[in-house]
Amino acid sequence: MDNTEVKGQGIQSVELGLGILKRISAERRPLTVTEISTICGIPKSKLHKYLTSFTRSGFLKKSRDLKYSLGTELILLGLKASEQLNVQDSTLPYLIKLREDINETVALAIWGENGPFFLRWEESNRAVNLGIKAGSQVSVTESAPGRVFTVYLPKERTQHLFEKEMKDKNTEDREQLISELDLIEIKGFSVTTGTVLPGITAISCPVFDLNGEIAAALTVVTMAEVIDYSEGSECIMKIKKTALEMSQALGYKS
């Protein structure tokens, strides 16, 4: 849809009806006609026609106690729309723009059965061959994206891989890593240097989906000590901003 279509004359009754559906959805509970009238600022006499049409079409359902909630047809539409929010396609423009802005290799990692792997790998114009590419699997505990997933995914999805990698580590190493994971949750990003490849620093930020769950890890890979990755630095702010834009492209509401 282009700007002309967006700015052109629309159908006011349709826009009003969609606004009613959005308000009902936002409440996250069944509502009476009186409650809907109040939150929408629409008289009951006018509101009744919309509720009747939405109920007939399956966009709303009416319970025996005369309360309205989202109907099956509307939920199915939402599911179909969410299926189109493909992580790779939706985030690629932001990935490319970040690479151009900072001239560093950028990548997008997702979680697989055996841990995180890179779905997309975009090299900078001064990239060094790291032997990593799209499809490469990385460590859960030693890579920046792995640590991000460990923090933001449900524990039951990561714990078995976490324990497998940590089984030969001593208590001090385990406690140090747990402290670093706690910091990631506070700061919103992970940094590793030399843990996967000597002399290489990786920075990862979480990318969330429309349900507020982690969908991917935006990762910047660079030579150690080339960029300032301290909290609040320009580079970190750009990475976090890009991760938020990616999340919003996937339907995330901050």
Side-chain angles (χ1 to χ4, degrees):
M1 182 177 290
D2 60 28
N3 289 337
T4 301
E5 292 175 306
V6 172
K7 295 179 181 178
Q9 186 176 4
I11 303 174
Q12 188 175 8
S13 60
V14 172
E15 293 175 358
L16 180 59
L18 293 174
I20 293 169
L21 290 174
K22 289 179 181 179
R23 291 295 185 90
I24 294 173
S25 174
E27 290 298 312
R28 297 178 180 271
R29 62 184 177 87
L31 300 169
T32 65
V33 175
T34 300
E35 289 173 325
I36 298 171
S37 175
T38 301
I39 64 174
C40 293
I42 300 173
K44 292 182 186 179
S45 57
K46 185 176 182 179
L47 181 63
H48 179 73
K49 296 178 181 179
Y50 286 95
L51 297 181
T52 299
S53 293
F54 287 142
T55 303
R56 285 176 180 169
S57 65
F59 281 14
L60 289 178
K61 62 181 179 181
K62 185 178 179 181
S63 63
R64 291 183 178 179
D65 58 357
L66 305 183
K67 291 185 178 182
Y68 293 86
S69 56
L70 298 186
T72 304
E73 291 300 319
L74 191 58
I75 293 171
L76 289 174
L77 278 178
L79 290 172
K80 289 177 181 177
S82 68
E83 289 171 1
Q84 296 176 21
L85 294 175
N86 179 279
V87 172
Q88 183 170 206
D89 293 343
S90 298
T91 59
L92 182 57
Y94 304 99
L95 198 67
I96 299 299
K97 184 178 184 302
L98 180 62
R99 181 193 64 185
E100 293 172 350
D101 284 349
I102 65 176
N103 193 26
E104 299 291 348
T105 294
V106 297
L108 192 74
I110 62 173
W111 185 263
E113 184 178 346
N114 298 312
F117 68 93
F118 288 112
L119 180 67
R120 192 90 191 188
W121 184 272
E122 297 290 336
E123 294 186 345
S124 69
N125 59 21
R126 55 184 176 83
V128 178
N129 186 2
L130 303 176
I132 299 177
K133 57 184 179 180
S136 294
Q137 195 94 36
V138 288
S139 167
V140 173
T141 60
E142 296 186 345
S143 72
R147 292 181 180 182
V148 164
F149 280 113
T150 300
V151 169
Y152 290 97
L153 275 177
K155 193 172 183 180
E156 59 267 22
R157 295 186 61 188
T158 63
Q159 190 66 18
H160 65 293
L161 294 172
F162 180 89
E163 293 298 338
K164 182 179 179 181
E165 292 187 13
M166 295 297 292
K167 66 179 182 179
D168 295 326
K169 303 289 185 180
N170 58 40
T171 302
E172 184 179 349
D173 289 338
R174 176 182 284 267
E175 290 178 351
Q176 181 179 345
L177 178 56
I178 290 173
S179 296
E180 291 176 6
L181 295 176
D182 290 339
L183 282 176
I184 292 170
E185 190 167 16
I186 294 170
K187 297 189 296 183
F189 67 94
S190 170
V191 179
T192 59
T193 297
T195 53
V196 176
L197 291 170
I200 299 298
T201 291
I203 307 160
S204 284
C205 284
V207 176
F208 300 104
D209 63 17
L210 76 169
N211 296 314
E213 299 172 354
I214 185 170
L218 170 62
T219 305
V220 172
V221 182
T222 181
M223 301 295 291
E225 301 181 1
V226 168
I227 60 176
D228 178 7
Y229 51 79
S230 59
E231 188 175 7
S233 68
E234 183 180 0
C235 182
I236 291 297
M237 296 307 291
K238 283 184 177 180
I239 298 170
K240 294 178 78 171
K241 178 176 181 290
T242 301
L244 176 58
E245 291 171 340
M246 288 179 167
S247 299
Q248 291 170 338
L250 294 175
Y252 174 70
K253 303 292 184 182
S254 58

